[in-house]
Amino acid sequence: MPKILVTRNVGPEAMKLLQATPFELIVNPEDAEPSREWVLENISDPEVVAACIMHGQPSDKVDAELLAHAGKGLKVISTFSVGFDHIDVKAANARGIKIGHTPGVLSDSVADIATMLVLMTMRRVEEGIALVKSGGWPHLPWAPFVMCGPGMNHPNLTIGFLGFGRISECVVDRLLAFTNKSAPPRIVYNSSRARDNQAEIDAKFSQRWGVDVQRVEKDTLAEQADIVIVLCALTPETTDAVDAAFLKKMKKTAVLVNAARGPIVNSEDLNAALDAGELFGAGLDVITGEPHIAPDHPLVLNKRCVVIPHMGSADYDTRNAMADLCVRNAIAGAEGKALPAEVKV
Amino acid sequence: MPKILVTRNVGPEAMKLLQATPFELIVNPEDAEPSREWVLENISDPEVVAACIMHGQPSDKVDAELLAHAGKGLKVISTFSVGFDHIDVKAANARGIKIGHTPGVLSDSVADIATMLVLMTMRRVEEGIALVKSGGWPHLPWAPFVMCGPGMNHPNLTIGFLGFGRISECVVDRLLAFTNKSAPPRIVYNSSRARDNQAEIDAKFSQRWGVDVQRVEKDTLAEQADIVIVLCALTPETTDAVDAAFLKKMKKTAVLVNAARGPIVNSEDLNAALDAGELFGAGLDVITGEPHIAPDHPLVLNKRCVVIPHMGSADYDTRNAMADLCVRNAIAGAEGKALPAEVKV
């Protein structure tokens, strides 16, 4: 009897889909990360044809060790995530194992968090919360401009994106509901390289939103943007894309939001730039070294920086949709069919 | 020489407008709240024809005491705020003193904060920030639904407003950029009383936004709304509008945001309801007793409640626009002209 391995309960709805198949299920009995040994032992079962794995569980790392243990029948590994930096895709493919992931379904959810972080950062909410919690509110001398930040309704803002995929487009949809109607913003973005038909692409974007949209070089983006939003994939090229040189070029009144992957923004450089007043504030859903972030991490202590624990896709509908796609990738692969969402590298 | 009293420097741009008038200025020399004595002494100057006052300064309360001190020449009191619960308008009007305020100019800014609090509350950001700051992130066991909250993209949300003035309309503009396009939300609101042409009014709103908009009774709103946003004026009728009975009727998955005035939501009842799981979370820009909120205030300690220190209008453009309107009200009143924005009760 062919089997599907599930390294973590994926919720009642997606589990029902699995139970409705003819496949036997091997499910981690605990609602906790299994041991690496449990994963390696079960994936070596020659009857296991598909495996649902997690991004957030180090036990599920798909490396040479895991692939060496994989049974001969294994056809697909399906990760509960859009990112696949925990999977050696090439090595898996070389062994004839397809990799499934969950793109698309979390765009809205991550765009919500990115937009929220823009608002929180411009309006100094980290500082505001800290003031209340420290008992400082009663002693805050009221004044016309106390605790003020730049506003979203400011005329002719420039909004910059590092990476301009589907999530960035969703963020544009949202931010345009906040920005000044009579003096609308301009959108600039940087993507890995300019296309041959770049002007045509940008004209289409501009028409779609009714505001000027333009691909620019990274330095131009740093210099011009009032809001910088990082939403590119983590690659060797994008690692430290936001470094001391980038930050130094930013406007003193500008804010930075990272809702992609931690290492795209250099933490030491960001902290130094915030302390030097080179930018107004930063909002991070992700940070290098997560989740091993100590409470005395300089960016956690920095009052112009808000750090939240990678909650971009953490809403019930989104996680259910991810579970659904993860399970459908596994079932399709187990049945020898094309995956609804296969990672192609 | 007729004089204008200014109880707090209102920023360089607005001060310039005052300096360009023929009026002599009496300006509080400190960038701090003046003493009550200073206000009472100066307002009693028979040559003072106009006064610019602050909402956030208890020294500036316009009550029987202040009106008894007011000089005979006083024609206008102009408050740097849209709210005027610190002013006895009827008594002032009875003395022939007009009251100016600053409506309209802060709608966008407050709507930004209200929308941000909706997102923060649904997505458990208070809890997320606290987790990072307490060093809990490394020990958070990852799981598919850990730290999840309800999502803005959930199909067929019901969004409810207590008070449906200009700020609420701005919030609708923003929230519709986040909500589900194929299963759009429904908007319900409660205003002081149903109008004769209520159906016509609601049809116009529905047409404007392309979603169903309807005035409902308060109980219906409490029962049906997934998101409750308080944006009504504070009056004897709206005091404690959100009390134990209201909260008990709310959905367990719903969130509450107050961006109006603290006493509209009963703090004790809210805290008990959050602890009992009667609603999912709350976001407060305002709270009864502010700014005298201790760090051990139950709502400050409650991890399902985020409290920020009344920052609704705290962006530079907005505060400058408020200063401008406040000063223009004072100058117009001093000149015996109609105020750009007079409080009518």
Side-chain angles (χ1 to χ4, degrees):
Chain A
M1 174 75 94
K3 297 172 184 166
I4 295 179
L5 174 65
V6 182
T7 70
R8 188 73 171 262
N9 189 305
V10 286
E13 294 177 42
M15 291 306 292
K16 232 179 273 175
L17 283 185
L18 284 169
Q19 284 147 5
T21 66
F23 300 102
E24 194 175 308
L25 302 181
I26 307 175
V27 183
N28 165 14
E30 310 291 332
D31 188 19
E33 182 179 354
S35 67
R36 178 70 169 174
E37 292 67 37
W38 186 90
V39 174
L40 295 180
E41 186 191 323
N42 282 287
I43 207 146
S44 68
D45 183 331
E47 292 187 320
V48 164
V49 292
C52 293
I53 67 163
M54 302 286 131
H55 183 274
Q57 294 185 166
S59 62
D60 291 10
K61 197 168 186 217
V62 179
D63 51 11
E65 182 192 37
L66 184 136
L67 290 170
H69 280 74
K72 292 219 170 88
L74 190 64
K75 299 180 196 171
V76 59
I77 294 174
S78 175
T79 181
F80 187 100
S81 62
V82 60
F84 44 83
D85 39 276
H86 56 312
I87 299 175
D88 187 339
V89 180
K90 279 187 190 164
N93 286 172
R95 278 262 340 245
I97 299 166
K98 291 176 182 174
I99 303 297
H101 69 146
T102 65
V105 296
L106 41 64
S107 303
D108 282 302
S109 184
V110 177
D112 289 354
I113 285 289
T115 306
M116 180 197 78
L117 286 173
V118 169
L119 292 164
M120 288 178 68
T121 306
M122 291 175 81
R123 298 294 291 277
R124 299 166 63 174
V125 169
E126 164 83 4
E127 220 175 321
I129 292 175
L131 185 81
V132 174
K133 284 197 188 292
S134 68
W137 195 4
H139 315 294
L140 177 74
W142 193 90
F145 298 93
V146 79
M147 287 298 285
C148 272
M152 285 289 293
N153 201 47
H154 192 72
N156 306 115
L157 283 180
T158 297
I159 304 172
F161 290 90
L162 288 185
F164 207 59
R166 189 156 164 182
I167 301 177
S168 295
E169 293 181 32
C170 288
V171 173
V172 174
D173 290 340
R174 284 154 177 73
L175 289 180
L176 290 179
F178 293 82
T179 50
N180 194 297
K181 299 297 170 283
S182 42
R186 176 173 168 254
I187 312 282
V188 295
Y189 68 94
N190 181 258
S191 46
S192 43
R193 74 190 74 83
R195 310 270 174 176
D196 292 340
N197 61 338
Q198 194 61 50
E200 197 184 310
I201 291 171
D202 291 349
K204 249 187 207 164
F205 278 134
S206 300
Q207 192 176 15
R208 169 172 166 191
W209 286 303
V211 300
D212 186 50
V213 181
Q214 200 190 354
R215 183 195 179 279
V216 297
E217 294 308 317
K218 222 181 71 177
D219 286 357
T220 309
L221 189 150
E223 283 161 15
Q224 299 186 346
D226 299 290
I227 300 169
V228 175
I229 303 169
V230 179
L231 279 169
C232 52
L234 175 62
T235 65
E237 288 75 43
T238 63
T239 300
D240 285 334
V242 176
D243 59 4
F246 183 99
L247 292 156
K248 209 173 182 58
K249 290 192 181 76
M250 281 180 71
K251 294 182 183 178
K252 289 187 196 324
T253 52
V255 297
L256 172 79
V257 163
N258 186 1
R261 286 288 181 266
I264 302 167
V265 175
N266 183 292
S267 292
E268 289 73 29
D269 291 357
L270 175 59
N271 194 57
L274 286 167
D275 285 347
E278 289 172 8
L279 73 166
F280 189 78
L284 309 178
D285 183 39
V286 292
I287 184 168
T288 300
E290 68 178 61
H292 301 288
I293 302 300
D296 63 351
H297 188 294
L299 288 173
V300 174
L301 294 178
N302 199 311
K303 67 179 182 168
R304 284 299 172 92
C305 184
V306 56
V307 182
I308 60 172
H310 203 151
M311 307 166 83
S313 66
D315 78 45
Y316 293 113
D317 289 342
T318 299
R319 290 283 167 87
N320 266 322
M322 289 171 72
D324 180 76
L325 186 49
C326 174
V327 159
R328 288 192 296 111
N329 277 331
I331 296 170
E335 291 173 342
K337 295 179 187 161
L339 310 194
E342 182 177 351
V343 175
K344 307 270 189 185
V345 289
Chain B
M1 173 75 92
K3 297 173 185 167
I4 295 180
L5 173 64
V6 182
T7 69
R8 189 75 170 260
N9 189 306
V10 286
E13 294 178 42
M15 290 306 293
K16 230 178 274 174
L17 283 185
L18 284 169
Q19 284 149 2
T21 66
F23 299 103
E24 193 175 311
L25 302 182
I26 307 174
V27 184
N28 165 13
E30 310 291 332
D31 187 19
E33 182 179 355
S35 67
R36 178 71 169 173
E37 291 66 37
W38 186 90
V39 175
L40 294 180
E41 186 191 322
N42 283 286
I43 207 146
S44 69
D45 182 333
E47 293 186 318
V48 163
V49 291
C52 293
I53 66 163
M54 303 285 131
H55 183 274
Q57 294 185 167
S59 61
D60 291 11
K61 197 166 186 221
V62 179
D63 51 11
E65 182 192 37
L66 184 137
L67 291 169
H69 280 74
K72 294 222 167 86
L74 190 64
K75 299 180 196 171
V76 60
I77 294 174
S78 175
T79 181
F80 187 100
S81 62
V82 60
F84 45 83
D85 40 273
H86 55 311
I87 298 174
D88 187 339
V89 181
K90 278 187 191 166
N93 287 170
R95 279 261 341 245
I97 299 166
K98 292 177 180 173
I99 303 297
H101 67 148
T102 64
V105 295
L106 41 62
S107 303
D108 281 302
S109 184
V110 176
D112 288 354
I113 285 290
T115 306
M116 180 197 78
L117 287 172
V118 169
L119 292 164
M120 288 179 68
T121 306
M122 291 175 80
R123 299 294 292 277
R124 297 164 65 175
V125 170
E126 165 82 6
E127 222 176 319
I129 292 175
L131 185 81
V132 173
K133 285 197 188 291
S134 68
W137 195 3
H139 315 294
L140 179 74
W142 193 89
F145 297 93
V146 79
M147 288 298 284
C148 271
M152 284 291 292
N153 202 47
H154 191 72
N156 305 115
L157 284 179
T158 297
I159 303 172
F161 290 89
L162 288 185
F164 206 60
R166 189 157 165 181
I167 302 177
S168 294
E169 293 182 33
C170 289
V171 174
V172 174
D173 289 339
R174 285 155 177 72
L175 290 180
L176 290 179
F178 293 82
T179 50
N180 195 297
K181 299 295 170 285
S182 42
R186 178 173 167 254
I187 312 282
V188 295
Y189 67 94
N190 181 258
S191 47
S192 44
R193 73 191 71 83
R195 309 270 174 176
D196 292 340
N197 60 339
Q198 194 61 50
E200 196 185 312
I201 292 171
D202 291 349
K204 249 187 208 163
F205 279 134
S206 302
Q207 192 177 14
R208 168 173 166 190
W209 286 302
V211 300
D212 186 50
V213 181
Q214 200 189 354
R215 184 196 179 278
V216 297
E217 293 308 317
K218 220 181 71 177
D219 286 358
T220 309
L221 189 150
E223 283 160 16
Q224 298 187 347
D226 299 290
I227 300 168
V228 176
I229 303 170
V230 179
L231 279 168
C232 52
L234 175 62
T235 66
E237 289 74 42
T238 63
T239 301
D240 285 334
V242 176
D243 60 3
F246 184 98
L247 292 157
K248 208 171 183 58
K249 290 193 181 77
M250 282 180 71
K251 294 182 183 178
K252 289 187 195 325
T253 52
V255 297
L256 172 79
V257 163
N258 186 2
R261 285 289 179 268
I264 302 168
V265 175
N266 183 293
S267 293
E268 289 74 31
D269 291 356
L270 175 59
N271 194 56
L274 285 167
D275 285 347
E278 289 172 10
L279 73 165
F280 188 79
L284 309 178
D285 184 38
V286 292
I287 184 168
T288 300
E290 68 177 63
H292 302 287
I293 302 300
D296 63 350
H297 188 294
L299 287 173
V300 174
L301 294 177
N302 199 311
K303 67 180 181 170
R304 285 297 173 94
C305 185
V306 56
V307 182
I308 60 173
H310 202 152
M311 308 166 82
S313 66
D315 78 45
Y316 293 114
D317 289 343
T318 300
R319 290 284 169 88
N320 266 322
M322 289 170 73
D324 180 77
L325 187 47
C326 173
V327 159
R328 288 191 297 112
N329 278 331
I331 296 171
E335 292 172 342
K337 296 179 186 160
L339 310 193
E342 182 176 351
V343 175
K344 306 271 188 185
V345 289

